[in-house]
Amino acid sequence: VPVCPSYTLDNDLLSTEQRQFYEDNGYLVIRNLVSDEDIERFRKEFTRICKREVKPPGVMIMKDESLRSQFGQSEKVVNKVQDFQEDEELFRYCTLPEV
């Protein structure tokens, strides 16, 4: 079945199946693309931001209030951190060559 891409172009990085999955679902998981060490560093910084231990200028933390009864005020109620480009550690994820 030919792929009729609307978001991706032919390339040597993704297989036809990966491109089709992205076209159908809007995301693609590539396991082990980023090292475990980096993932742990990003996770720690995300948690620090959620707990407001660091406050990058302009960052917006969005929470799913329906999870509050289950998780209280923990980072597990946070479903999005927006405008985090001023946080050098977390923004480093966006600049990784692998990504």
Side-chain angles (χ1 to χ4, degrees), residues 37-73:
E37 294 81 18
D38 273 338
I39 292 294
E40 186 55 31
R41 287 177 61 183
F42 299 138
R43 182 176 288 122
K44 283 180 181 176
E45 188 66 4
F46 173 81
T47 301
R48 290 180 68 219
I49 291 171
C50 293
K51 291 180 175 180
R52 303 209 183 258
E53 293 172 5
V54 294
K55 297 177 183 177
V59 73
M60 185 182 305
I61 300 170
M62 299 179 190
K63 298 179 180 181
D64 183 342
E65 294 299 327
S66 67
L67 298 175
R68 189 175 297 260
S69 63
Q70 185 178 0
F71 297 112
Q73 291 293 327

Side-chain angles (χ1 to χ4, degrees), residues 12-50:
D12 295 332
L13 299 174
L14 301 177
S15 69
T16 301
E17 293 78 17
Q18 287 173 316
R19 288 181 56 215
Q20 187 62 55
F21 185 91
Y22 181 81
E23 294 293 332
D24 293 344
N25 300 286
Y27 70 94
L28 179 62
V29 175
I30 301 177
R31 298 202 183 281
N32 301 314
L33 182 69
V34 177
S35 73
D36 290 342
E37 294 81 18
D38 273 338
I39 292 294
E40 186 55 31
R41 287 177 61 183
F42 299 138
R43 182 176 288 122
K44 283 180 181 176
E45 188 66 4
F46 173 81
T47 301
R48 290 180 68 219
I49 291 171
C50 293

